[in-house]
Tab-separated table of all heavy atoms in Angstrom:
chain	number	residue	atom	x	y	z
A	1	MET	N	6.314	7.047	10.743
A	1	MET	CA	7.448	6.135	10.869
A	1	MET	C	8.289	6.449	12.094
A	1	MET	O	8.791	5.529	12.766
A	1	MET	CB	8.319	6.199	9.612
A	1	MET	CG	7.634	5.707	8.345
A	1	MET	SD	6.957	4.025	8.468
A	1	MET	CE	8.463	3.067	8.715
A	2	MET	N	8.455	7.720	12.427
A	2	MET	CA	9.256	8.110	13.581
A	2	MET	C	8.699	7.509	14.871
A	2	MET	O	9.440	7.065	15.749
A	2	MET	CB	9.308	9.636	13.681
A	2	MET	CG	10.011	10.167	14.934
A	2	MET	SD	11.778	9.776	14.970
A	2	MET	CE	12.370	10.948	13.752
A	3	ASN	N	7.370	7.491	14.986
A	3	ASN	CA	6.720	7.035	16.226
A	3	ASN	C	6.391	5.549	16.207
A	3	ASN	O	5.765	5.048	17.143
A	3	ASN	CB	5.439	7.841	16.450
A	3	ASN	CG	5.710	9.318	16.619
A	3	ASN	OD1	6.744	9.702	17.153
A	3	ASN	ND2	4.788	10.161	16.155
A	4	LEU	N	6.797	4.877	15.163
A	4	LEU	CA	6.415	3.470	14.996
A	4	LEU	C	7.348	2.541	15.766
A	4	LEU	O	8.570	2.682	15.710
A	4	LEU	CB	6.432	3.144	13.503
A	4	LEU	CG	6.057	1.749	13.029
A	4	LEU	CD1	5.289	1.851	11.711
A	4	LEU	CD2	7.315	0.902	12.809
A	5	ASP	N	6.762	1.623	16.521
A	5	ASP	CA	7.525	0.541	17.141
A	5	ASP	C	7.562	-0.608	16.134
A	5	ASP	O	6.544	-1.257	15.872
A	5	ASP	CB	6.858	0.099	18.441
A	5	ASP	CG	7.635	-0.998	19.158
A	5	ASP	OD1	7.914	-2.054	18.533
A	5	ASP	OD2	7.968	-0.816	20.339
A	6	PHE	N	8.727	-0.861	15.550
A	6	PHE	CA	8.827	-1.793	14.426
A	6	PHE	C	8.326	-3.187	14.793
A	6	PHE	O	7.495	-3.766	14.083
A	6	PHE	CB	10.273	-1.856	13.920
A	6	PHE	CG	10.435	-2.647	12.650
A	6	PHE	CD1	10.318	-2.030	11.416
A	6	PHE	CD2	10.694	-4.011	12.682
A	6	PHE	CE1	10.454	-2.753	10.235
A	6	PHE	CE2	10.838	-4.751	11.512
A	6	PHE	CZ	10.716	-4.112	10.297
A	7	GLU	N	8.831	-3.730	15.880
A	7	GLU	CA	8.476	-5.112	16.234
A	7	GLU	C	7.002	-5.235	16.598
A	7	GLU	O	6.332	-6.199	16.212
A	7	GLU	CB	9.358	-5.603	17.379
A	7	GLU	CG	10.847	-5.608	17.072
A	7	GLU	CD	11.201	-6.455	15.859
A	7	GLU	OE1	10.456	-7.426	15.575
A	7	GLU	OE2	12.198	-6.147	15.182
A	8	ASP	N	6.485	-4.258	17.335
A	8	ASP	CA	5.079	-4.303	17.715
A	8	ASP	C	4.184	-4.162	16.485
A	8	ASP	O	3.185	-4.874	16.343
A	8	ASP	CB	4.784	-3.184	18.718
A	8	ASP	CG	3.332	-3.196	19.179
A	8	ASP	OD1	2.925	-4.187	19.805
A	8	ASP	OD2	2.605	-2.228	18.890
A	9	THR	N	4.557	-3.247	15.592
A	9	THR	CA	3.776	-3.054	14.367
A	9	THR	C	3.810	-4.300	13.500
A	9	THR	O	2.790	-4.712	12.936
A	9	THR	CB	4.314	-1.855	13.572
A	9	THR	OG1	4.268	-0.691	14.389
A	9	THR	CG2	3.482	-1.622	12.308
A	10	LEU	N	4.980	-4.927	13.403
A	10	LEU	CA	5.108	-6.140	12.597
A	10	LEU	C	4.218	-7.253	13.131
A	10	LEU	O	3.596	-8.000	12.363
A	10	LEU	CB	6.576	-6.592	12.571
A	10	LEU	CG	6.875	-7.852	11.771
A	10	LEU	CD1	6.444	-7.685	10.316
A	10	LEU	CD2	8.361	-8.193	11.846
A	11	ALA	N	4.134	-7.375	14.444
A	11	ALA	CA	3.319	-8.435	15.043
A	11	ALA	C	1.839	-8.255	14.733
A	11	ALA	O	1.089	-9.238	14.669
A	11	ALA	CB	3.551	-8.454	16.553
A	12	LYS	N	1.413	-7.011	14.530
A	12	LYS	CA	-0.004	-6.740	14.310
A	12	LYS	C	-0.338	-6.432	12.857
A	12	LYS	O	-1.515	-6.320	12.495
A	12	LYS	CB	-0.431	-5.543	15.168
A	12	LYS	CG	-0.211	-5.726	16.658
A	12	LYS	CD	-0.521	-4.433	17.403
A	12	LYS	CE	-0.273	-4.567	18.901
A	12	LYS	NZ	-0.498	-3.292	19.614
A	13	ALA	N	0.670	-6.276	12.011
A	13	ALA	CA	0.463	-5.714	10.673
A	13	ALA	C	-0.308	-6.644	9.756
A	13	ALA	O	-0.193	-7.877	9.829
A	13	ALA	CB	1.806	-5.365	10.044
A	14	SER	N	-1.073	-6.020	8.874
A	14	SER	CA	-1.742	-6.727	7.780
A	14	SER	C	-1.841	-5.740	6.627
A	14	SER	O	-1.580	-4.543	6.784
A	14	SER	CB	-3.124	-7.217	8.194
A	14	SER	OG	-3.951	-6.122	8.560
A	15	THR	N	-2.223	-6.244	5.478
A	15	THR	CA	-2.345	-5.370	4.309
A	15	THR	C	-3.811	-5.133	3.974
A	15	THR	O	-4.693	-5.885	4.380
A	15	THR	CB	-1.645	-5.978	3.081
A	15	THR	OG1	-2.264	-7.235	2.762
A	15	THR	CG2	-0.165	-6.193	3.350
A	16	ARG	N	-4.024	-4.084	3.226
A	16	ARG	CA	-5.361	-3.822	2.717
A	16	ARG	C	-5.802	-4.949	1.781
A	16	ARG	O	-4.967	-5.699	1.285
A	16	ARG	CB	-5.378	-2.493	1.948
A	16	ARG	CG	-5.212	-1.278	2.823
A	16	ARG	CD	-5.287	0.005	2.046
A	16	ARG	NE	-5.167	1.124	2.966
A	16	ARG	CZ	-6.196	1.647	3.645
A	16	ARG	NH1	-7.409	1.153	3.454
A	16	ARG	NH2	-6.009	2.647	4.479
A	17	PRO	N	-7.098	-5.045	1.497
A	17	PRO	CA	-7.562	-6.061	0.545
A	17	PRO	C	-6.862	-5.911	-0.805
A	17	PRO	O	-6.572	-4.797	-1.253
A	17	PRO	CB	-9.061	-5.769	0.428
A	17	PRO	CG	-9.424	-5.091	1.710
A	17	PRO	CD	-8.219	-4.285	2.097
A	18	ALA	N	-6.605	-7.031	-1.438
A	18	ALA	CA	-5.911	-7.026	-2.728
A	18	ALA	C	-6.622	-6.150	-3.743
A	18	ALA	O	-5.980	-5.470	-4.544
A	18	ALA	CB	-5.799	-8.456	-3.254
A	19	SER	N	-7.947	-6.130	-3.708
A	19	SER	CA	-8.700	-5.352	-4.697
A	19	SER	C	-8.365	-3.869	-4.598
A	19	SER	O	-8.274	-3.177	-5.625
A	19	SER	CB	-10.203	-5.573	-4.516
A	19	SER	OG	-10.616	-5.172	-3.215
A	20	GLN	N	-8.177	-3.349	-3.390
A	20	GLN	CA	-7.842	-1.933	-3.225
A	20	GLN	C	-6.446	-1.628	-3.763
A	20	GLN	O	-6.227	-0.586	-4.405
A	20	GLN	CB	-7.932	-1.539	-1.754
A	20	GLN	CG	-9.325	-1.587	-1.176
A	20	GLN	CD	-9.374	-1.129	0.270
A	20	GLN	OE1	-8.484	-0.422	0.742
A	20	GLN	NE2	-10.410	-1.543	0.989
A	21	ILE	N	-5.498	-2.515	-3.505
A	21	ILE	CA	-4.136	-2.321	-3.994
A	21	ILE	C	-4.107	-2.360	-5.515
A	21	ILE	O	-3.453	-1.536	-6.170
A	21	ILE	CB	-3.206	-3.388	-3.391
A	21	ILE	CG1	-3.158	-3.244	-1.863
A	21	ILE	CG2	-1.804	-3.300	-3.994
A	21	ILE	CD1	-2.471	-4.394	-1.157
A	22	LEU	N	-4.838	-3.306	-6.096
A	22	LEU	CA	-4.862	-3.426	-7.554
A	22	LEU	C	-5.616	-2.270	-8.204
A	22	LEU	O	-5.266	-1.851	-9.311
A	22	LEU	CB	-5.467	-4.767	-7.943
A	22	LEU	CG	-4.639	-5.981	-7.532
A	22	LEU	CD1	-5.365	-7.282	-7.869
A	22	LEU	CD2	-3.263	-5.962	-8.176
A	23	ASP	N	-6.629	-1.745	-7.534
A	23	ASP	CA	-7.304	-0.545	-8.041
A	23	ASP	C	-6.313	0.614	-8.129
A	23	ASP	O	-6.290	1.365	-9.112
A	23	ASP	CB	-8.463	-0.146	-7.121
A	23	ASP	CG	-9.695	-1.035	-7.284
A	23	ASP	OD1	-9.720	-1.846	-8.232
A	23	ASP	OD2	-10.608	-0.922	-6.453
A	24	ALA	N	-5.497	0.770	-7.077
A	24	ALA	CA	-4.506	1.848	-7.056
A	24	ALA	C	-3.471	1.664	-8.160
A	24	ALA	O	-3.079	2.619	-8.837
A	24	ALA	CB	-3.824	1.907	-5.691
A	25	LEU	N	-3.028	0.439	-8.357
A	25	LEU	CA	-2.061	0.164	-9.414
A	25	LEU	C	-2.645	0.493	-10.782
A	25	LEU	O	-1.991	1.137	-11.615
A	25	LEU	CB	-1.632	-1.307	-9.369
A	25	LEU	CG	-0.756	-1.790	-10.529
A	25	LEU	CD1	0.558	-1.022	-10.573
A	25	LEU	CD2	-0.506	-3.297	-10.412
A	26	ASP	N	-3.865	0.060	-11.024
A	26	ASP	CA	-4.503	0.296	-12.321
A	26	ASP	C	-4.615	1.795	-12.599
A	26	ASP	O	-4.335	2.260	-13.717
A	26	ASP	CB	-5.891	-0.352	-12.331
A	26	ASP	CG	-6.414	-0.579	-13.740
A	26	ASP	OD1	-5.962	-1.533	-14.382
A	26	ASP	OD2	-7.269	0.208	-14.187
A	27	LEU	N	-5.016	2.557	-11.592
A	27	LEU	CA	-5.156	4.001	-11.750
A	27	LEU	C	-3.817	4.661	-12.061
A	27	LEU	O	-3.704	5.453	-13.010
A	27	LEU	CB	-5.743	4.600	-10.471
A	27	LEU	CG	-5.772	6.129	-10.405
A	27	LEU	CD1	-6.677	6.704	-11.483
A	27	LEU	CD2	-6.204	6.591	-9.020
A	28	HIS	N	-2.780	4.326	-11.299
A	28	HIS	CA	-1.503	5.023	-11.457
A	28	HIS	C	-0.763	4.588	-12.722
A	28	HIS	O	-0.013	5.377	-13.293
A	28	HIS	CB	-0.647	4.831	-10.204
A	28	HIS	CG	-1.187	5.593	-9.030
A	28	HIS	ND1	-2.130	5.076	-8.182
A	28	HIS	CD2	-0.948	6.865	-8.609
A	28	HIS	CE1	-2.443	5.977	-7.266
A	28	HIS	NE2	-1.740	7.068	-7.505
A	29	TYR	N	-0.999	3.364	-13.176
A	29	TYR	CA	-0.455	2.951	-14.470
A	29	TYR	C	-1.008	3.842	-15.580
A	29	TYR	O	-0.268	4.337	-16.441
A	29	TYR	CB	-0.796	1.484	-14.730
A	29	TYR	CG	-0.682	1.077	-16.190
A	29	TYR	CD1	0.560	0.813	-16.753
A	29	TYR	CD2	-1.820	0.968	-16.989
A	29	TYR	CE1	0.665	0.449	-18.093
A	29	TYR	CE2	-1.724	0.607	-18.322
A	29	TYR	CZ	-0.473	0.340	-18.870
A	29	TYR	OH	-0.365	-0.005	-20.194
A	30	ARG	N	-2.311	4.070	-15.577
A	30	ARG	CA	-2.942	4.856	-16.646
A	30	ARG	C	-2.565	6.336	-16.538
A	30	ARG	O	-2.336	7.003	-17.552
A	30	ARG	CB	-4.460	4.645	-16.623
A	30	ARG	CG	-4.785	3.177	-16.879
A	30	ARG	CD	-6.235	2.796	-16.887
A	30	ARG	NE	-6.308	1.363	-16.627
A	30	ARG	CZ	-5.939	0.418	-17.508
A	30	ARG	NH1	-5.521	0.759	-18.716
A	30	ARG	NH2	-5.992	-0.863	-17.188
A	31	LEU	N	-2.456	6.842	-15.310
A	31	LEU	CA	-1.999	8.215	-15.132
A	31	LEU	C	-0.549	8.377	-15.591
A	31	LEU	O	-0.186	9.400	-16.184
A	31	LEU	CB	-2.138	8.634	-13.669
A	31	LEU	CG	-3.564	8.803	-13.139
A	31	LEU	CD1	-3.531	9.090	-11.646
A	31	LEU	CD2	-4.304	9.907	-13.878
A	32	HIS	N	0.263	7.364	-15.330
A	32	HIS	CA	1.675	7.431	-15.743
A	32	HIS	C	1.776	7.448	-17.270
A	32	HIS	O	2.631	8.140	-17.840
A	32	HIS	CB	2.448	6.252	-15.161
A	32	HIS	CG	3.908	6.493	-15.049
A	32	HIS	ND1	4.787	5.570	-14.503
A	32	HIS	CD2	4.688	7.553	-15.417
A	32	HIS	CE1	6.013	6.062	-14.545
A	32	HIS	NE2	5.979	7.247	-15.093
A	33	TRP	N	0.916	6.683	-17.929
A	33	TRP	CA	0.893	6.726	-19.391
A	33	TRP	C	0.594	8.146	-19.874
A	33	TRP	O	1.242	8.649	-20.802
A	33	TRP	CB	-0.162	5.750	-19.924
A	33	TRP	CG	-0.179	5.652	-21.424
A	33	TRP	CD1	0.506	4.762	-22.205
A	33	TRP	CD2	-0.900	6.505	-22.346
A	33	TRP	NE1	0.257	4.999	-23.532
A	33	TRP	CE2	-0.604	6.065	-23.660
A	33	TRP	CE3	-1.762	7.581	-22.176
A	33	TRP	CZ2	-1.142	6.662	-24.781
A	33	TRP	CZ3	-2.299	8.191	-23.300
A	33	TRP	CH2	-1.997	7.734	-24.585
């Protein structure tokens, strides 16, 4: 974050595939339980 150029990063940014994010959510929900 310290070395990040906010505007430049925003112009190029994208997110990981939804399936990867939902896999992470599913895992951490069950671990939290």
Side-chain angles (χ1 to χ4, degrees):
M1 295 305 296
M2 174 66 74
N3 298 327
L4 181 143
D5 182 305
F6 188 89
E7 300 302 332
D8 181 63
T9 302
L10 180 58
K12 302 174 182 177
S14 61
T15 61
R16 290 182 178 275
S19 60
Q20 294 183 21
I21 298 170
L22 294 176
D23 284 351
L25 172 61
D26 200 77
L27 172 64
H28 289 88
Y29 162 79
R30 298 180 202 288
L31 291 175
H32 203 178
W33 185 92

